[in-house]
Amino acid sequence: MKRIRPWKSIYRSINREISCNDDSLPAADIIFQVTERTIDKHGNKLLFPEIEVETYWTDFYENSEIPIDLYHDHDTSEQFHSELKTDMDVERFPSGKFAVNSLIG
């Protein structure tokens, strides 16, 4: 258990190498992250704790922090990609044909 704030706790667990009956599929880890909140974002105390459960199936055999952090940061790379397209003014190509776009660009 990791207590982030007095009203928020995070529990993480990893279930190593879950395999199914089909030998053609690789074994995978299942990472569980459970977040418990007793106060909402407006500062109101909750009568019952709010519980959020996340599961990650991965074959990235490291500690449980890396796959969770990579998943939570995927929107950062999408934001950079969007800004790059906007700055380079390539959000939409002038034509649907690659040959025409190569002549224009």
Side-chain angles (χ1 to χ4, degrees):
M1 176 177 88
K2 183 177 177 183
R3 186 165 294 272
I4 303 297
R5 296 175 190 91
W7 60 87
K8 181 178 179 182
S9 300
I10 295 179
Y11 307 90
R12 284 190 179 161
S13 175
I14 188 164
N15 201 351
R16 291 279 179 198
E17 295 188 18
I18 301 299
S19 60
C20 60
N21 296 335
D22 188 2
D23 291 335
S24 65
L25 298 173
D29 290 347
I30 302 175
I31 300 169
F32 301 94
Q33 178 172 303
V34 179
T35 305
E36 178 187 41
R37 292 180 184 88
T38 56
I39 296 177
D40 68 3
K41 63 183 177 182
H42 303 293
N44 301 321
K45 290 185 180 181
L46 301 173
L47 185 59
F48 300 103
E50 178 183 283
I51 297 175
E52 177 183 327
V53 178
E54 300 173 48
T55 59
Y56 304 91
W57 293 64
T58 181
D59 59 354
F60 191 70
Y61 299 109
E62 294 291 329
N63 62 13
S64 63
E65 304 283 328
I66 294 173
I68 292 172
D69 292 341
L70 287 173
Y71 179 77
H72 286 182
D73 285 340
H74 81 277
D75 58 338
T76 305
S77 66
E78 290 178 11
Q79 180 66 31
F80 285 136
H81 182 255
S82 174
E83 289 176 8
L84 183 65
K85 288 191 327 183
T86 303
D87 292 345
M88 294 179 63
D89 198 28
V90 291
E91 289 188 48
R92 295 180 196 250
F93 289 115
S95 172
K97 308 246 184 244
F98 289 116
V100 174
N101 289 330
S102 67
L103 289 174
I104 293 172

